[in-house]
Amino acid sequence: MAKYKNNMNKFIEIAKAIADESRVRILSMLNGHELCVCQIVEVLGLAPSTVSKHLSILRHAGLVEGRKEGRWIYYRISNRSSDIEAQKALAWVHESLARDGQTQEDLRRLKAVLKIGKEMLCAQVVQE
Amino acid sequence: MAKYKNNMNKFIEIAKAIADESRVRILSMLNGHELCVCQIVEVLGLAPSTVSKHLSILRHAGLVEGRKEGRWIYYRISNRSSDIEAQKALAWVHESLARDGQTQEDLRRLKAVLKIGKEMLCAQVVQE
DNA sequence: TTTATATTTCGCCATATAGCTAATGCATCG
DNA sequence: CGATGCATTAGCTATATGGCGAAATATAAA
């Protein structure tokens, strides 16, 4: 086994992934919820293509995982405990932003989206 | 006191600061050493102005502190324990990169720079 | 098979970022 | 004072990044 590891690239990839407000808002929303892309789009108010790209970056960094079910893809926080770096980053994000104002507002909007979601799913604009 | 804090901007600023290879290399070098800009320049092989800008970003994020002494400015890791976010970030960087190959090589070069530094300080190119 | 819907990929644009050189600040030394 | 030297700031360039809309993909529904 090599004496020194090559942690740099992995570290930078994760750090870049969490160095964007939209992406940490996604991570905060996914903390405790499994969500499809359209639900995240509703809360963030960004174009689906933009959210999809953000999710791709988060997934590649090992921070989230996707699960396909029918037409939808459900994303959740990655819990592969073997990926220590990703888990540390996730812990830092959640600890730091749990009580942040933006995070709280997103969670409030998310609850509304989840409520209407039971009947009519995506392509539905949440009021207020 | 407000119910919710505004951690987002501070968090993003710190995350962006550590999402760059040159800057985390600087943080690793400063871990345990107090260094002047010219010493960091020697090890990184970047232009002084570039290193200065990086240090400015790190300082503004609360990750390093500068101390002026004559013509030199010595930088060190910030130890203001009140800044929890910065301290968490520093801990993450140091834990993750302590055994990284690039970090080890930088430390090796730094030792050489520190050795010659005793007699003739900056404006001195370290061999090899 | 055709239509509809969810997501991704592609192509584009505006801004941000990291690097450089040159110029400026500022302190020391002759 | 003037010259020297460390660090920063200013100005520039090339690349990276985040946003969008349009087109492509894939699955469900009609």
Side-chain angles (χ1 to χ4, degrees):
Chain A
M1 164 177 155
K3 187 172 181 186
Y4 302 127
K5 304 174 188 173
N6 244 13
N7 294 335
M8 185 66 80
N9 293 345
K10 176 77 176 176
F11 177 90
I12 296 296
E13 183 179 21
I14 293 178
K16 280 184 187 293
I18 64 173
D20 176 87
E21 177 162 342
S22 296
R23 288 195 288 270
V24 292
R25 286 173 69 191
I26 292 175
L27 289 179
S28 293
M29 288 170 56
L30 289 178
N31 191 23
H33 304 91
E34 189 182 55
L35 303 173
C36 66
V37 180
C38 59
Q39 292 172 314
I40 299 171
V41 164
E42 272 308 312
V43 174
L44 293 186
L46 294 174
S49 61
T50 303
V51 172
S52 179
K53 196 193 285 183
H54 282 314
L55 285 166
S56 168
I57 291 170
L58 291 171
R59 181 158 36 81
H60 200 262
L63 299 172
V64 305
E65 293 170 340
R67 176 178 65 87
K68 194 163 191 173
E69 186 175 316
R71 257 178 300 186
W72 294 275
I73 299 182
Y74 287 95
Y75 283 92
R76 61 175 180 277
I77 296 291
S78 169
N79 58 355
R80 298 205 303 106
S81 53
S82 60
D83 192 340
I84 310 290
E85 292 311 316
Q87 295 303 313
K88 278 189 196 170
L90 287 168
W92 182 39
V93 171
H94 294 148
E95 287 172 23
S96 301
L97 299 179
R99 297 194 58 77
D100 170 74
Q102 178 70 69
T103 302
Q104 295 293 330
E105 185 180 330
D106 287 343
L107 286 185
R108 196 170 51 75
R109 287 180 57 84
L110 176 59
K111 284 202 196 343
V113 169
L114 289 174
K115 196 171 295 178
I116 68 155
K118 287 296 180 185
E119 302 89 51
M120 16 183 171
L121 258 121
C122 303
Q124 193 71 19
V125 178
V126 62
Q127 307 297 343
E128 174 205 13
Chain B
M1 165 178 155
K3 188 170 181 187
Y4 302 127
K5 303 173 188 174
N6 245 12
N7 294 335
M8 185 66 80
N9 292 345
K10 175 78 175 175
F11 178 90
I12 296 297
E13 183 179 21
I14 294 177
K16 281 184 188 293
I18 63 174
D20 176 87
E21 177 163 341
S22 296
R23 288 196 288 269
V24 291
R25 286 174 68 191
I26 292 175
L27 290 179
S28 293
M29 289 170 55
L30 289 178
N31 192 22
H33 303 91
E34 189 183 54
L35 303 173
C36 66
V37 180
C38 58
Q39 293 171 315
I40 300 171
V41 164
E42 271 309 310
V43 175
L44 293 187
L46 294 175
S49 62
T50 303
V51 172
S52 180
K53 197 193 285 184
H54 282 314
L55 285 166
S56 169
I57 290 170
L58 291 171
R59 181 159 35 80
H60 200 261
L63 299 172
V64 306
E65 293 171 340
R67 176 177 66 85
K68 196 163 191 172
E69 186 176 317
R71 257 178 299 187
W72 293 275
I73 299 182
Y74 288 94
Y75 282 92
R76 62 174 181 277
I77 295 292
S78 170
N79 58 355
R80 298 206 302 106
S81 53
S82 60
D83 192 341
I84 309 290
E85 292 311 315
Q87 295 303 313
K88 277 189 198 171
L90 288 167
W92 182 39
V93 171
H94 293 148
E95 287 172 23
S96 300
L97 299 179
R99 297 194 57 77
D100 170 74
Q102 177 70 68
T103 301
Q104 295 293 329
E105 185 181 328
D106 288 342
L107 286 184
R108 196 172 51 77
R109 286 180 58 83
L110 176 59
K111 285 202 196 342
V113 169
L114 289 173
K115 196 172 294 178
I116 68 155
K118 287 297 180 184
E119 303 88 53
M120 16 182 172
L121 258 120
C122 303
Q124 193 71 20
V125 178
V126 62
Q127 308 298 342
E128 175 208 12

